[in-house]
Amino acid sequence: MKDIKSMTLSELETELQQLGEAKFRGGQIYSWVHKGARSFEEMSNLSKELRKKLGEHFSLYAPTAVRKLVSKNDGTIKYLWRLKDGNCVETVLMQYHHGNTVCISSEVGCAMGCAFCASTLGGLIRRLEPSEMLDQVLFTQIDSGLPISNIVLMGIGEPLDNYDNVLRFLELVNSPKGMNIGMRHISLSTCGLVKGINALAEQNLQLTLSVSLHAPTDEIRSRIMPVNKAYPVDRLLEACKKYFEKTGRRISFEYAMIRGVNDTPELAKILIGKLRGIASHVNLIPLNDVEESPLKPSYPQVVKAFRNALEEQGIPATVRRTLGSDINASCGQLRRKYEGEKGKE
Ligand code: SAH
């Protein structure tokens, strides 16, 4: 059976016509699905017969929240959703001044193997369907009652490793008859899969591309990010430059500050040299402590000095505010904890 929530409006209209129904029914059903209907039964402006027919041809699923944690500090909410096959993914809702932002997962687990990241510890289980990414936005909005205006693809998984499904998700969540979230309100974060960056550039979308750089030399980057062996720093930055030339969108570089690994003044200098000529913004993130990893966050004064060094050379840099630190809000940790507890039951 076809997953109805992963279908575009025009695909749905075509399907409905093939089932002998009027084209406009496609639009009605699409609206129900994108408002978070949990069953065809709820679609009260359709005949009983049509609802039955839909149930015979399409599947419609809604995830359930198996955990919901609310930060006492800042209202950040973290959800652990159970998917139809029993796998779980995390979603985080952050309340910023510029709007409510949801951070969604694109895969169950991750194959990329970054040394500091909790999401990759158990490897990749599977990629998410477009509907499963949409559900995270939709049901976070419904459950929290907070209207979502921004999306970041920065949760579990590597979005460009699930390229086709992510692109379809973007089309769905951006559609005027759906959640209608503008591309300029969406960020996609990648560990640096150059092939995917090049393909995305061709789409010329107005979203923000975030690149997890974390180190300016191949020696250090390969040590903490295995993907660097396939796509070394200079090749990655070349792709970023081209991405900007094609889309006119400046690149946001993520740089997790790891004590004694990537935070020295010498490395700041090398980074400045590498980023010269690339329209960019650097996001310095104090490393989140992951239990299983020996890597530690940089000292605050070291982070500040690193930021100042970049700023002095005309490279915009900000230190990311940490939200939800009391609820394990950094991704991958809640899912691991839950799977661990389940295993003991
Ligand atoms: N796979 C994508 C998106 C998911 S990770 C990517 O690599 O960009 C989202 C961001 O969190 C990435 O920049 C990632 O490098 C960073 N990250 C992962 N673990 C972290 C940790 N322990 N502390 C700080 N940032 C971390």
Side-chain angles (χ1 to χ4, degrees), residues 21 166 170 216 235 252 302 325-326 339:
E21 300 290 334
V166 165
L170 291 172
R235 227 184 123 194
S252 168
V302 171
S325 49
D326 57 328
E339 296 292 344

Side-chain angles (χ1 to χ4, degrees), residues 8-306:
T8 65
L9 175 58
S10 67
E11 286 170 348
L12 195 52
E13 285 171 342
T14 308
E15 289 273 344
L16 264 289
Q17 283 172 305
Q18 280 166 3
L19 291 175
E21 300 290 334
K23 185 177 165 192
F24 79 94
R25 294 285 179 207
Q28 287 181 321
I29 298 163
Y30 191 85
S31 293
W32 279 109
V33 168
H34 287 250
K35 275 193 203 110
R38 289 170 178 275
S39 71
F40 296 115
E41 281 313 300
E42 286 174 33
M43 303 183 180
S44 51
N45 57 354
L46 309 180
S47 70
K48 257 210 165 101
E49 294 75 54
L50 179 52
R51 283 182 263 165
K52 189 161 165 271
K53 210 195 258 184
L54 292 175
E56 285 159 6
H57 287 86
F58 304 103
S59 65
L60 174 61
Y61 186 82
T64 47
V66 289
R67 289 279 189 283
K68 177 183 179 183
L69 306 176
V70 183
S71 166
K72 289 190 185 72
N73 306 339
D74 49 50
T76 297
I77 307 176
K78 181 156 195 166
Y79 291 96
L80 186 68
W81 301 107
R82 193 205 309 274
L83 309 173
K84 55 179 172 286
D85 63 353
N87 276 306
C88 291
V89 288
E90 296 174 33
T91 306
V92 182
L93 172 62
M94 294 157 290
Q95 301 181 49
Y96 289 118
H97 298 299
H98 62 266
N100 298 319
T101 301
V102 73
C103 174
I104 67 162
S105 299
S106 56
E107 298 180 318
V108 181
C110 183
M112 298 299 131
C114 299
F116 43 80
C117 183
S119 300
T120 197
L121 288 168
L124 175 69
I125 309 296
R126 71 169 174 87
R127 300 181 171 91
L128 293 187
E129 297 299 324
S131 58
E132 292 172 322
M133 290 180 256
L134 184 65
D135 276 341
Q136 295 175 61
V137 187
L138 200 49
F139 288 101
T140 295
Q141 176 168 280
I142 291 171
D143 183 89
S144 69
L146 297 167
I148 308 284
S149 52
N150 303 281
I151 301 171
V152 296
L153 280 142
M154 286 191 188
I156 300 172
E158 167 50 47
L160 296 183
D161 179 54
N162 189 12
Y163 185 86
D164 292 342
N165 287 349
V166 165
L167 248 75
R168 180 174 276 261
F169 156 71
L170 291 172
E171 184 180 347
L172 295 173
V173 82
N174 180 237
S175 73
K177 273 200 168 222
M179 294 194 80
N180 198 17
I181 295 181
M183 283 294 171
R184 283 175 181 263
H185 294 261
I186 301 176
S187 293
L188 183 154
S189 182
T190 177
C191 65
L193 296 179
V194 167
K195 211 172 136 230
I197 294 174
N198 291 340
L200 194 63
E202 290 306 312
Q203 296 291 322
N204 201 3
L205 302 174
Q206 288 300 293
L207 53 74
T208 299
L209 180 66
S210 288
V211 173
S212 301
L213 190 57
H214 303 322
T217 67
D218 286 326
E219 197 258 308
I220 301 174
R221 195 165 188 268
S222 291
R223 228 187 315 142
I224 53 176
M225 300 181 73
V227 67
N228 195 68
K229 291 172 195 148
Y231 300 113
V233 174
D234 288 346
R235 227 184 123 194
L236 171 59
L237 294 178
E238 195 49 46
C240 292
K241 220 175 188 170
K242 285 213 189 96
Y243 186 91
F244 174 74
E245 281 158 15
K246 179 86 193 173
T247 64
R249 303 287 293 163
R250 122 185 131 144
I251 310 288
S252 168
F253 289 102
E254 314 285 303
Y255 200 103
M257 301 287 295
I258 312 172
R259 193 186 303 169
V261 174
N262 64 358
D263 61 354
T264 63
E266 293 72 43
L267 288 171
K269 251 191 218 138
I270 297 175
L271 179 62
I272 290 161
K274 296 260 179 191
L275 293 187
R276 208 167 282 299
I278 302 179
S280 62
H281 175 267
V282 178
N283 239 317
L284 299 170
I285 315 156
L287 185 80
N288 258 301
D289 235 325
V290 172
E291 240 172 61
E292 293 88 336
S293 155
L295 302 172
K296 296 287 163 231
S298 303
Y299 294 110
Q301 62 271 31
V302 171
V303 177
K304 219 188 241 169
F306 203 92

